[in-house]
Amino acid sequence: MNGNTKITAAVARLLTPEERQHWELSWLSTVDHKRIGILYMVTGLVFFVVAGIEALLIRLQLMVPNNTLLAPDTYNWLFTMHGTTMIFLVAMPVLFGMMNYILPLQIGARDMAFPRLNALGFWLVPFGGILLHFSFLAGGPPAVGWFAYTPLSETPYSSQLGVDYWAVSLLVLGIGSVSAGINFIVTVLTQRAPGMTLRRLPLFTWMIFCNAFLVILALPILNAGLVMLLIDRLLQGQFFLPFAGGSAIMWQHVFWAFGHPEVYIVAIPAFAILSEVIPVFSRKAIFGHEFVAASTVVIVILSLLVWAHHMFTVGLGHAVDLFFVAASVLIAVPTGVKLFNWSATMVGGRVRFTTAMLFCVAALLQFLIGGLTGVSHAVAPLDWQTKNSYYLVAHFHNVFVGLIVFAILGGIYYWFPKMSGRMLSERIGKWTFWLMTVGFNLTFMIQHVLGLAGMPRRTFTYPDLPGWGWMNMVSTIGAFFMAAASILFVWDLVKSLVRGKPAGDNPWNAWTLEWATSSPPPHENFDTLPPIRSRRPLWDYANPDRPDPVVPVRGIIDTFRPDKNKAGVIAFIISEAGFFGVLILAYLFYNATTASGPGSRELNLLKTSIFSVCLFASSFTIWRSEVAARMNKQTRMKLWLAFTILLGGIFVIGQGMEYWDLYRTGVTVGLDLFATTFFTLTGFHGLHVCVGLLALLIVLGVAFGPSFKNGHLPALGPVGLYWHFVDVVWVFVFSIVYLWPLLR
C-alpha cells in the first residue's frame, strides 16, 4: 500500500460509506459536530505553526543584547501577531474543537443543538484568520500589541490598515465564539440523553457549560470596544482620542473587562480536561466532585469582577484598587480548590503515567506556579514593581502554555483514540512530553528572574547588563526545545493516523459516555446507551455488583429542558445585553456633564416620542399575535404580526428622518463626543430593529406559505422574545438619551 492510499484509507475511517466517494466536499459542507470539532483543531494547528514561527523570531531577536536581527517595527508586528494568533486562532479554536467533539458524546446526544450554527461558528475562524493575516498585503500588519492600547491604535498614531484588519478579524472571531457559546449552552440544556440530569453531567461537560456563559458575557464586551475603535478610525469618532475629549483609559477598561475573563475562557476547558484525565488514570472517581463543580461557578462569577488588576499602575485610586485587590485574591480560593481536588484524586490511586497523564500532571504543577505569581500581581504594591517586567511575561505564559497548552496535549493524547480509532505512540509521546517540559521551563521559568532583575517587557532589544544576556540565551534555547517537541507531536499525529495501533472502543477503561460507542463514532453517535444513574455510567455497566451511588434527582432544575429555539434566543439576548451595556455606559460616561457644542438639545423629543410609542406598542401587538397562534386563530395571528411589522417600520423611518435632520444641521459622527456616542448607540439599536423586522417578515411569509399547517409556527415565539428585547433596550436608550437631559 503506497502513502497516498494509506492516507485515503485513514480519512475513509472517519466517513460514512456513502460519503467516501466525495469525502473532500463532505468535510467542507459538514454539519456533524465531530467533523466540525476536527476542523477546529486542524485550523488551530495550522495557526499554531504560524504563531510558533513568530515566537521563534522574537526569541532570536532577544537571544543576545543589542541585537539587530529584527527592526523595531518588525518586532512590534511579530509581537502583536503572535499574541493575537495564539489566543484567538490557536487556543480558542483547538479547545472549541475538543469541546465540539466530546460534549455531545458525553451527554448521549446525536449532535449539537444547532448544527448549521455550529458550522458557521467554525468557518468564521479561518475567515477571521485570513482577514488578520491579509494585513501583510494591505500596507503592513498591526504593530500595537494584542491589546491595542489607545491612543497608539488610533489613526493619528497607527495610520496603516493593519489595525483595521485586526479589529475586523477579532469582530468576526468574536461573533463565531458567541455562536459557539450559545450552542454549547442550548445543547447541554436540551439534548441530554434520558437519565442525564444536570447533576449527573461529567465534570468536563459541566465546566464547558459554565464556560459557555462566560463566553457569551465577555466576548460582546470586546465586540463593543472593537466597534468603538473602528468608528474612531473609519468615521472620525472620538471615543478614545484624549485630545478630542475621549479617554484612552476607557479602552483599557473595555478591553480588560473582556481580557481577564478570556483567560478563564481558555483556562476552564483546560481545567475540564484535567478533571477528566486525572481520575481515569488514577483509577478513582474525582475527589470532591461537588466542590469542583461549585468552584467552577464561583470562578465564572469572580472572573467578571477582577479586570482592573491589569490597571493598578494606571492610577484609579485607592478605593478602586482595594476592591480589585480583594476580588483578585478571592478568585485564588476556588482555583486552589481544584488543585487540591486533583491532587487528592491521585493520592492513594493506582496512577498510570501515560503520556496524557504526564501532560496533565505537568499542567497542574506549572499552573500552581502561575497561580502563585498571579496572586503576587493581585497585590497592588507588588504589581507596581513587576507589572511591566518579564516577571509578568513569565506568569502569563505559565498559565497560557504551562496550563492550557499542556492540558490540550494531554486531552489530545487521551481522546485521539476515540476520534481516529488509532492509538498515538506512547514512546514518541513521552519524548514529546519531556522535550516540551524541559523547553517550557527553560524558556519561561528563568524569565521570572529576568523580570525581578529589571528587564522590561514589550522591548525589541536590551543593553548588555549583568545576567540579562545569558538568561535570555537560555530562554531562547528552551523555545527551540519546544519547537522540536511540536514537530515530534505533529509527526506522531500523522504517523498514528496512517498506521497507528487500533484503539478499540475504550482503550483507557474510562467511565463517560463517549467511550460507549465505537472509535471513531458513527454519524449518529450511538446505537444504544447504558442506563444513566450516576456520573460514571460505564463503571456502573461494567461493575454491576459495585456501582456508584445513584445521583438523585433534586428539583425541576435538575431535569430542566427548555424549548431549543427559545433557549437559543435567550442566550443570544444575554450576549447582546452585554454589548449594549458597554455602549450605554460609554454614552453615560462621556455625557455625564453638559458640554458646549451640539448635544441632546439638538434632538426633537416630540417626534422621537411618537415613533418610540410605535415601537413600544409593537411589543403588545406581537404578544397578541402569539396568543392568537396558541388559540389557532390564524387570520388574527397574521394581522397582529403584520401590524407589528408596520409599527416597527414606522420606528425605523422615524429614526432615519431624525438622522437626516441632524445631518442637515452638520451633526455627524465625528463632530464631538455627543454625536459619536449618540449615533453609535442609536445606530446599533436601529440595526437590531432592522434585523428583527427581517425575521418578522420571514415568519409572516412562512405563515402565508403552503407549508404552514395547523396554526403551528414555532419560530414566532423565539422571534417575539428578540423583539421584546429590542423594545426593552429602547426603553433604556430613550430614557438616557432623550429624557435624562431634562432632569439635569
Side-chain angles (χ1 to χ4, degrees), residues 351-380:
V351 179
R352 294 169 55 201
F353 285 106
T354 62
T355 303
M357 185 65 166
L358 286 171
F359 273 114
C360 288
V361 171
L364 188 158
L365 295 173
Q366 288 161 171
F367 177 62
L368 174 61
I369 297 172
L372 291 173
T373 56
V375 171
S376 72
H377 283 295
V379 180

Side-chain angles (χ1 to χ4, degrees), residues 424-728:
L424 285 165
S425 168
E426 282 293 309
R427 182 173 61 86
I428 298 176
K430 286 173 180 173
W431 272 101
T432 302
F433 167 76
W434 287 113
L435 280 171
M436 185 66 75
T437 302
V438 171
F440 168 79
N441 286 283
L442 284 175
T443 303
F444 297 112
M445 288 304 173
I446 203 166
Q447 290 181 5
H448 291 95
V449 182
L450 263 173
L452 293 175
M455 182 170 174
R457 61 181 176 142
R458 303 173 186 164
T459 181
F460 85 104
T461 191
Y462 54 93
D464 190 8
L465 294 174
W468 288 21
W470 74 264
M471 283 191 279
N472 272 291
M473 177 68 75
V474 169
S475 188
T476 299
I477 292 170
F480 279 90
F481 270 82
M482 295 175 69
S486 301
I487 293 170
L488 199 58
F489 170 68
V490 173
W491 165 248
D492 196 9
L493 285 178
V494 175
K495 182 185 74 67
S496 299
L497 184 64
V498 174
R499 55 180 185 180
K501 176 185 174 183
D505 294 345
N506 189 2
W508 310 124
N509 292 320
W511 307 309
T512 43
L513 289 182
E514 73 267 31
W515 304 102
T517 185
S518 61
S519 301
H523 181 74
E524 297 81 10
N525 289 346
F526 299 97
D527 294 325
T528 59
L529 284 170
I532 303 169
R533 302 186 183 94
S534 72
R535 300 184 179 107
R536 300 196 298 170
L538 294 194
W539 169 269
D540 298 342
Y541 185 76
N543 300 273
D545 56 328
R546 48 194 183 108
D548 279 355
V550 173
V551 177
V553 178
R554 293 182 179 172
I556 193 171
I557 293 296
D558 214 7
T559 57
F560 181 56
R561 293 175 188 266
D563 175 77
K564 180 175 72 173
N565 294 321
K566 287 185 177 180
V569 170
I570 290 171
F572 175 69
I573 287 171
I574 292 171
S575 71
E576 289 299 279
F579 178 85
F580 276 109
V582 173
L583 297 185
I584 289 172
L585 287 173
Y587 181 90
L588 289 170
F589 177 78
Y590 288 123
N591 296 279
T593 57
T594 304
S596 60
S600 58
R601 56 188 168 276
E602 308 295 324
L603 305 177
N604 191 319
L605 178 60
L606 178 60
K607 287 183 179 179
T608 306
S609 299
I610 293 172
F611 63 74
S612 296
V613 168
C614 292
L615 185 65
F616 298 146
S618 68
S619 266
F620 173 78
T621 58
I622 197 167
W623 171 68
R624 293 305 305 168
S625 180
E626 293 178 65
V627 171
R630 287 194 293 269
M631 297 173 65
N632 201 22
K633 297 181 178 180
Q634 299 182 24
T635 301
R636 187 175 297 178
M637 180 270 292
K638 295 172 186 176
L639 286 173
W640 282 116
L641 188 56
F643 196 25
T644 302
I645 294 170
L646 175 63
L647 291 171
I650 292 172
F651 174 83
V652 171
I653 292 171
Q655 194 170 41
M657 292 172 60
E658 181 179 41
Y659 280 9
W660 176 245
D661 290 340
L662 291 171
Y663 176 77
R664 285 191 305 169
T665 58
V667 180
T668 59
V669 175
L671 180 65
D672 61 8
L673 271 170
F674 166 77
T676 299
T677 54
F678 169 78
F679 282 113
T680 301
L681 179 56
T682 59
F684 271 96
H685 176 265
L687 176 63
H688 281 68
V689 173
C690 291
V691 170
L693 285 174
L694 180 61
L696 290 171
L697 285 168
I698 292 172
V699 172
L700 185 61
V702 170
F704 278 102
S707 60
F708 180 57
K709 298 177 182 178
N710 302 323
H712 184 58
L713 199 61
L716 180 59
V719 172
L721 285 173
Y722 173 81
W723 192 257
H724 292 311
F725 165 71
V726 169
D727 284 4
V728 169

Side-chain angles (χ1 to χ4, degrees), residues 156-175:
Y157 308 97
S158 298
S159 58
Q160 73 274 20
L161 292 175
V163 179
D164 299 317
Y165 280 101
W166 176 87
V168 173
S169 68
L170 292 196
L171 264 176
V172 169
L173 294 169
I175 292 169

